[in-house]
């Protein structure tokens, strides 16, 4: 069962709104790091030769990025050995394909043209994104987002989650007799956070299901609720503390902000290029007519004003 109480994560909840642009940029972000491969010979040694063709360290690095998740569980030495073995096979099989003149087939030419276009896109968008990611731009995003959350109330609470109302009433009765809430949560709660004494850390209203938030934000610190029903079961809630929410330090969310600034710059650049291009949709003539009247630029990622920076869970 999915917990109604997601882990409190430090960061900006940003994302690209345009599915078309997101699809393109997903590929860019997956491949872009490989654009900066070793340049000097001493940093890029030859690791193997196949019929005289060299395989260098840079080839291994690029292949590791392409193979991605399939290598995740391997230790570095095993990973390198497997990738190098793959590249050797790649060279051998590619040479056999050349001998059969497969590169002259129409299918191969189409695939090669597609791959070339994709790599050109990757390279250009990576450059645009990097150029836009300045300290000034990131600080501006941080400041704008911080203004949106300062003063919002948040609650630090614990809870005990059980299956039935009778179970919840029994838990409440034990608490009324003086039982320790955290210890009882460890014994009785079915929530994944039971091992932490039911501690949910600090959260805002929208981060919890409505039934839970309504009670938690109405309780005074130190008070314990009566049984509360939600789609996840029955809860007993204890509020530990209330406070006005503060933005996390810049360094805590710098990585998320950098991602946002990069993606926004890339999305804006794609939108600008697409707006200037003449795009004709033969499958949807009405969209072409609409585009001729008023270009529909790709949407940008969610603005900081619509996003939240959440503090790390205590």
């Amino acid at each position: 069962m999915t917990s109604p109480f997601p882990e409190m994560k430090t960061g900006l909840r940003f994302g690209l709104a345009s599915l078309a642009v997101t699809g393109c940029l997903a590929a860019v972000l997956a491949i872009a790091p490989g654009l900066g491969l070793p340049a000097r010979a001493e940093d890029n040694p030859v690791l193997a030769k196949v019929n005289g063709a060299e395989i260098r360290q840079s080839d291994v690095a690029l292949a590791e990025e392409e193979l991605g998740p399939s290598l995740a569980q391997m230790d570095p030495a095993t990973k390198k050995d497997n990738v190098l073995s793959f590249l050797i096979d790649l060279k051998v099989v590619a040479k056999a394909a050349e001998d059969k003149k497969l590169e002259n087939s129409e299918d191969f030419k189409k695939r090669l043209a597609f791959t070339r276009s994709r790599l050109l896109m990757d390279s250009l968008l990576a450059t645009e994104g990097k150029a836009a990611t300045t300290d000034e731009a990131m600080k501006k995003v941080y400041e704008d987002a911080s203004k949106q959350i300062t003063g919002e109330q948040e609650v630090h609470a614990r809870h005990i989650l059980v299956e039935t109302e009778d179970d919840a009433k029994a838990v409440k009765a034990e608490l009324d007799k003086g039982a320790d809430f955290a210890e009882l949560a460890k014994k009785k709660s079915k929530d994944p956070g039971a091992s932490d004494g039911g501690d949910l850390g600090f959260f805002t209203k929208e981060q919890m299901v409505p039934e839970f938030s309504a009670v938690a934000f109405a309780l005074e610190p130190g008070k314990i609720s009566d049984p509360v029903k939600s789609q996840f079961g029955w809860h007993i809630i204890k509020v530990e503390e209330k406070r006005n929410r503060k933005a996390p330090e810049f360094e805590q969310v710098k990585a998320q902000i950098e991602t946002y600034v990069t993606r926004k710059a890339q999305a804006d650049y794609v939108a600008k290029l697409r707006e200037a291009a003449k795009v004709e949709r033969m499958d949807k003539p009405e969209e072409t007519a609409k585009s001729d009247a008023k270009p529909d630029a790709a949407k940008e990622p969610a603005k900081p004003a619509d996003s939240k920076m959440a503090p790390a869970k205590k």
Side-chain angles (χ1 to χ4, degrees):
M1 182 187 74
T2 301
S3 170
F5 310 107
E7 179 184 359
M8 302 297 112
K9 294 183 179 179
T10 300
L12 289 169
R13 298 173 189 171
F14 293 137
L16 289 175
S18 169
L19 291 177
V21 177
T22 302
C24 293
L25 295 184
V28 175
L29 295 174
I31 297 175
L35 298 175
L37 298 173
R40 298 181 303 171
E42 59 266 32
D43 295 332
N44 193 23
V46 175
L47 303 180
K49 289 185 179 181
V50 180
N51 297 322
E54 297 178 344
I55 299 176
R56 292 181 174 272
Q57 179 60 46
S58 59
D59 299 315
V60 172
L62 183 59
E64 284 182 0
E65 292 173 11
E66 287 291 323
L67 296 173
S70 64
L71 305 171
Q73 304 302 317
M74 298 181 187
D75 61 81
T78 302
K79 181 188 298 185
K80 182 177 180 179
D81 186 64
N82 275 270
V83 173
L84 187 54
S85 179
F86 165 78
L87 288 174
I88 290 171
D89 290 342
L90 182 65
K91 289 283 188 183
V92 170
V93 177
K95 180 60 169 63
E98 288 175 350
D99 292 342
K100 291 179 179 292
K101 307 297 183 182
L102 291 185
E103 70 270 24
N104 294 329
S105 71
E106 288 303 312
D107 180 67
F108 179 83
K109 290 176 181 178
K110 289 177 181 178
R111 291 177 182 275
L112 182 61
F114 173 81
T115 301
R116 180 179 181 276
S117 294
R118 176 181 156 178
L119 289 175
L120 284 169
M121 178 190 73
D122 292 347
S123 181
L124 180 56
L125 292 184
T127 300
E128 290 294 322
K130 184 177 181 180
T133 311
T134 63
D135 288 340
E136 182 180 0
M138 290 193 290
K139 287 290 179 66
K140 179 66 166 56
V141 169
Y142 173 77
E143 290 168 3
D144 288 345
S146 296
K147 291 175 183 177
Q148 300 300 315
I149 68 170
T150 301
E152 183 180 10
Q153 190 178 58
E154 58 183 2
V155 165
H156 175 200
R158 296 177 183 271
H159 83 134
I160 297 173
L161 179 64
V162 292
E163 292 282 356
T164 68
E165 184 177 12
D166 288 339
D167 290 338
K169 288 179 177 179
V171 167
K172 182 62 163 60
E174 289 189 59
L175 292 169
D176 289 342
K177 293 177 182 178
D180 182 80
F181 195 99
E183 290 302 316
L184 201 58
K186 293 177 182 178
K187 296 177 183 177
K188 303 284 188 179
S189 183
K190 64 173 187 173
D191 184 75
S195 60
D196 291 330
D199 191 0
L200 298 170
F202 280 95
F203 54 86
T204 57
K205 277 188 177 181
E206 72 274 9
Q207 289 175 310
M208 299 297 177
V209 292
E211 303 91 338
F212 190 98
S213 285
V215 174
F217 279 82
L219 283 175
E220 292 300 318
K223 299 296 184 180
I224 297 175
S225 75
D226 290 324
V228 178
K229 188 178 188 305
S230 78
Q231 68 264 41
F232 300 98
W234 288 84
H235 312 261
I236 300 295
I237 305 166
K238 180 182 179 182
V239 170
E240 299 284 4
E241 184 183 353
K242 290 184 178 181
R243 70 183 184 188
N244 286 331
R245 195 177 185 190
K246 295 181 179 180
E249 295 297 322
F250 175 76
E251 290 300 324
Q252 288 181 269
V253 292
K254 183 177 180 180
Q256 292 92 331
I257 293 174
E258 184 174 359
T259 296
Y260 169 78
V261 173
T262 298
R263 290 185 177 181
K264 183 178 185 303
Q266 292 169 331
D268 288 347
Y269 187 70
V270 171
K272 180 181 177 181
L273 292 176
R274 185 160 185 168
E275 186 174 353
K278 180 174 177 58
V279 179
E280 299 177 78
R281 289 291 299 266
M282 305 309 178
D283 60 329
K284 297 180 180 179
E286 67 280 4
E287 286 193 13
T288 297
K290 182 180 178 181
S291 178
D292 287 342
K294 183 179 180 180
D296 183 17
K299 297 178 182 178
E300 68 179 40
K303 294 181 179 179
D306 300 323
S307 306
K308 303 294 180 183
M309 286 189 287
K313 182 176 178 181
K314 281 193 171 182

